[in-house]
Amino acid sequence: MKNLMSIALAGFFLSAGISAAGERTPEPIKTLSPDTGSDVELKLSYESFQGLELDEADNFDGWTTTAEVSMPFMDRFRLRLTYPFRTEGDADLKKDQPVMPGESIDIDGNGGVFDFFTLQFEHQLKRLEEDGYGLSYYLGGGAVPSRLDTTKPRPNGGFDAFNHTGTVILGGVRLDRQHGFGHGILNLGLRYYASSDDLSPGSNDSFTVADLKGALVLNPWGPVHPVVELTYLGDFSEVNQFSLIPELVFPLGRNVDLKAGATIGLGGNGSEFGAQAQAVVKF
């Protein structure tokens, strides 16, 4: 899977090539452009998932919502604050659990799953219009915003909680190039989760994963931009979330983008299938 992902992302991005600079196309749902831009942006995202595997549970079916605000400053810099504020779903406890093995439980709370409350600093080094390609790097970190409550009983009374501790440190680079048929974007990042609980299927509380995303935003069909994204979050061992996300982006004037897509799992222990939606407002 490691070689497959590397080949797919490399070919996907390199096929983008370069053409004369033109009007910038909107961003995909997951893969972010290296362009730090000049607008304050507000995002509201919805994502459903099926079959997600966690430390103590499998077949997690549910949804999560995320709010984000980002602000540019000093021409080539941006700060991005991301808050996954609600998750709901149900899952099956793994059969090795001492309590209710194999039985279904509910999971809900004011937080995310693998996405935490984070603050990112972004710095653009190259611009597509000036240099023929865009390049930026980002650094950030955060913590679990709130626990996910469950209906899994504790042996000594009460109910267990998932994902109630942990921090994350993240960083990486973003690149883009333009071609006659579309806009290619590539994100190459790492995340280090520390002191997390009930998250990694491998039962490790601290672990490092690659955060890889590639997208091709095709030239518009009328008012609509078709998009294809490939994403991977994992360590090519215990955590493996490999997905294809076809989507459509509807720009409503300069200040609003509406996006919708589907998540198709390509193996591993991530979501097998799901839906994506996002609204972006720019000021």
Side-chain angles (χ1 to χ4, degrees), residues 83-85 109-112 117 143-149 162-165:
Y83 174 40
F85 62 89
N110 297 323
F117 181 82
V144 171
S146 181
R147 60 187 245 163
L148 298 180
D149 292 309
F162 284 3
N163 206 17
H164 54 90
T165 64

Side-chain angles (χ1 to χ4, degrees), residues 44-241:
L44 182 63
S45 303
Y46 167 89
E47 180 177 355
S48 67
F49 48 85
Q50 293 182 4
L52 193 65
E53 182 182 356
L54 302 177
D55 179 9
E56 298 178 2
D58 202 354
N59 302 317
F60 185 15
D61 302 341
W63 55 267
T64 189
T65 50
T66 303
E68 180 179 286
V69 58
S70 65
M71 179 179 299
F73 65 99
M74 294 176 60
D75 187 45
R76 289 179 181 253
F77 299 90
R78 178 173 288 268
L79 289 177
R80 186 181 305 273
L81 187 67
T82 305
Y83 174 40
F85 62 89
R86 188 65 186 174
T87 296
E88 293 188 16
D90 57 75
D92 298 327
L93 288 173
K94 291 183 175 178
K95 294 183 179 180
D96 62 357
Q97 293 300 298
V99 177
M100 298 174 58
E103 295 192 36
S104 179
I105 60 169
D106 294 331
I107 301 174
D108 64 80
N110 297 323
V113 185
F114 282 85
D115 292 322
F116 292 179
F117 181 82
T118 59
L119 177 65
Q120 294 182 45
F121 166 84
E122 304 171 8
H123 179 200
Q124 185 174 4
L125 302 175
K126 298 290 185 178
R127 284 182 167 153
L128 183 65
E129 296 81 358
E130 300 169 359
D131 303 293
Y133 68 100
L135 172 65
S136 70
Y137 68 89
Y138 66 94
L139 298 169
V144 171
S146 181
R147 60 187 245 163
L148 298 180
D149 292 309
T150 78
T151 53
K152 175 190 176 184
R154 292 180 178 272
N156 57 352
F159 294 94
D160 196 8
F162 284 3
N163 206 17
H164 54 90
T165 64
T167 59
V168 65
I169 299 172
L170 48 86
V173 296
R174 301 183 180 122
L175 305 96
D176 70 343
R177 300 178 77 177
Q178 195 75 20
H179 191 273
F181 54 80
H183 183 197
I185 310 172
L186 183 62
N187 296 175
L188 301 174
L190 291 174
R191 298 186 191 183
Y192 173 67
Y193 291 90
S195 302
S196 66
D197 182 70
D198 305 312
L199 192 58
S200 168
S203 302
N204 295 317
D205 291 341
S206 298
F207 56 97
T208 301
V209 292
D211 185 7
L212 310 177
K213 303 180 181 75
L216 182 61
V217 184
L218 297 171
N219 290 333
W221 300 348
V224 179
H225 289 263
V227 181
V228 180
E229 290 190 80
L230 282 172
T231 69
Y232 179 79
L233 182 70
D235 57 7
F236 308 103
S237 177
E238 296 176 339
V239 181
N240 278 297
Q241 301 181 15

Side-chain angles (χ1 to χ4, degrees), residues 257-268:
D257 291 337
L258 300 179
K259 311 173 188 181
T263 304
I264 302 170
L266 299 179

Side-chain angles (χ1 to χ4, degrees), residues 244-257:
L244 171 68
I245 308 176
E247 62 200 64
L248 296 174
V249 180
F250 304 82
L252 301 179
R254 181 189 179 280
N255 300 103
V256 177
D257 291 337

